[in-house]
Amino acid sequence: MKESTFVMTTKQSIREAFAEASSFLAAHEVMEPQRNAQLLLEHVLGLSGAAYYMALPDPFPDERQKAWEEVISRKAAGEPAQYIVGEQEFYGIPFQVTPAVLIPRPETELLVEAVLQQAEQLWPQGAAPAGRAASAAEQEPPQGQGAGRVPGPADAELPDREAARPAAQGRAAAAPGGDAGTADGLRPLVAADIGTGSGAIAVTLALHAPRWQVYASDISADALRVAARNAEANGAKVAFEEGNLLEPFAGRRVDILVSNPPYIPAADIPGLQPEVRDHEPRTALDGGADGLAPYRIMMQQLPLLQEPPRLIGFELGIGQAGEVADLLRQAGHWDKIMIIPDLAGIDRHVLGVRR
């Protein structure tokens, strides 16, 4: 077994340090060694973009050598670079990640995009007819001991981060979960992200659809704390609920339901890449015997809601699209079922729409 402790050759330029670390990672069979080395080098030096490239000829700073050796050693031992750095970008938004949450993947951005597009077609005004007035229980998330509420950015109006995120401006002042109409006879749409993890889906939806009232749930309190920090850091208004899949939303209205649940068959987990198998949370990976248990449970839990959502979107694993689409058809609540491939051509998402 190769020694995974990295010791840097002294008196190098930053470029030479990058090349040495890349070779070390490649020798330890790390995938994309150059990309990982650059990500970690930018992190250690506190540089990015043009500033990073301009610094490459400079001598490697002595005061950063210990930190550099540590992060390369951790990477060589199999730890995901995102956990070492503590951050992963999703939909152009920075998200804190810890071993309590799954690292957001690029293919999930396509699920968010599809949900936003379908919602725009279903509700061109960005809101739904108000209908009857909601009861007090429906208007507010449950409070108090054992209610599963995680206090966070949903409890107060938060400032917008940057002009580059215009969708964050002008968000509705009402707390997520309300059903009261406005003067124009419309009410905000209610979206729920089930199994939110880092909060990537919920936060992105809240920023790009600021009139929506966005909820996010997870069975892990540790994951919810990470998600709440991400919502606050990015100025997103999201209410977080602790509980199993749809249970936190019993008796509540949900117009849009989206989920990237655990979908790896339990027997396949030992064969996953070590970075995933040994470091990412098993509860975010294990989908039961065939990987489909969370989808079946959510279909069984639909009667908990006031009514089935008009728009539902799932991410899923390789070879699961047909079966998940059949689950939606059998439920009988959606007249259009769509299967959406990822950029590699793999059927990765299933959406159900009720016109």
Side-chain angles (χ1 to χ4, degrees), residues 1-4 20-31 33 76:
M1 184 175 180
K2 298 186 182 72
E3 173 59 53
S4 61
E20 181 182 44
S22 297
S23 297
F24 184 82
L25 294 178
H28 285 78
E29 300 179 351
V30 171
M31 297 181 67

Side-chain angles (χ1 to χ4, degrees), residues 309-351:
R310 285 188 66 191
L311 174 58
I312 188 168
F314 288 139
E315 183 164 317
L316 32 95
I318 296 173
Q320 296 176 335
E323 291 178 89
V324 173
D326 284 344
L327 287 175
L328 267 62
R329 291 189 188 96
Q330 291 164 13
H333 303 304
W334 303 279
D335 47 49
K336 184 178 181 182
I337 308 295
M338 294 175 284
I339 296 176
I340 300 173
D342 62 19
L343 296 178
I346 297 168
D347 289 339
R348 183 65 67 183
H349 305 112
V350 170
L351 268 66

Side-chain angles (χ1 to χ4, degrees), residues 41-353:
L41 185 53
E42 290 176 338
H43 171 67
V44 166
L45 298 177
L47 299 173
S48 62
Y52 166 79
Y53 289 104
M54 290 178 65
L56 288 176
D58 297 344
F60 193 95
D62 292 340
E63 68 273 15
R64 306 309 302 158
Q65 180 175 339
K66 184 177 180 181
W68 177 234
E69 291 173 342
E70 180 184 350
V71 298
I72 294 300
S73 297
R74 289 169 66 184
K75 182 66 242 175
E79 188 174 351
Q82 294 90 339
Y83 288 156
I84 298 172
V85 172
E87 186 175 287
Q88 170 67 16
E89 186 175 282
F90 180 86
Y91 222 87
I93 303 166
F95 284 87
Q96 178 190 130
V97 291
T98 76
V101 302
L102 195 74
I103 297 166
R105 267 60 169 184
E107 55 266 27
T108 309
E109 296 180 357
L110 300 177
L111 175 60
V112 171
E113 189 172 287
V115 167
L116 289 169
Q117 290 175 346
Q118 292 300 317
E120 186 175 7
Q121 294 179 25
L122 285 173
W123 298 281
Q125 295 175 288
R132 65 175 179 82
S135 68
E138 293 165 355
Q139 288 181 16
E140 293 295 336
Q143 304 286 334
Q145 188 70 24
R149 185 108 193 277
V150 178
D155 298 296
E157 188 70 22
L158 296 169
D160 297 314
R161 286 284 300 263
E162 302 165 356
R165 296 177 195 154
Q169 299 174 4
R171 64 175 59 88
D179 195 32
T182 60
D184 58 5
L186 298 173
R187 62 168 180 81
L189 295 170
V190 178
D193 171 25
I194 310 300
T196 193
S198 67
I201 291 175
V203 168
T204 304
L205 290 176
L207 291 175
H208 286 265
R211 293 188 65 184
W212 295 7
Q213 296 177 347
V214 179
Y215 283 99
S217 71
D218 205 286
I219 200 169
S220 165
D222 289 338
L224 287 172
R225 281 188 279 271
V226 175
R229 289 197 295 270
N230 282 322
E232 183 172 11
N234 287 291
K237 194 170 185 181
V238 180
F240 294 95
E241 307 274 353
E242 183 178 350
N244 185 34
L245 299 174
L246 305 190
E247 287 180 355
F249 306 106
R252 313 261 281 280
R253 180 196 297 277
V254 174
D255 300 296
I256 300 162
L257 191 150
V258 59
S259 181
N260 178 17
Y263 54 67
I264 306 296
D268 292 352
I269 290 179
L272 295 176
Q273 294 177 3
E275 282 194 355
V276 177
R277 180 193 65 219
D278 299 337
H279 295 276
E280 299 198 63
R282 176 143 185 155
T283 54
L285 299 171
D286 191 339
D290 62 356
L292 301 177
Y295 307 98
R296 294 193 185 97
I297 294 170
M298 282 188 274
M299 291 298 99
Q300 294 165 2
Q301 291 177 333
L302 282 174
L304 294 174
L305 306 178
Q306 276 190 30
E307 59 182 351
R310 285 188 66 191
L311 174 58
I312 188 168
F314 288 139
E315 183 164 317
L316 32 95
I318 296 173
Q320 296 176 335
E323 291 178 89
V324 173
D326 284 344
L327 287 175
L328 267 62
R329 291 189 188 96
Q330 291 164 13
H333 303 304
W334 303 279
D335 47 49
K336 184 178 181 182
I337 308 295
M338 294 175 284
I339 296 176
I340 300 173
D342 62 19
L343 296 178
I346 297 168
D347 289 339
R348 183 65 67 183
H349 305 112
V350 170
L351 268 66
V353 179

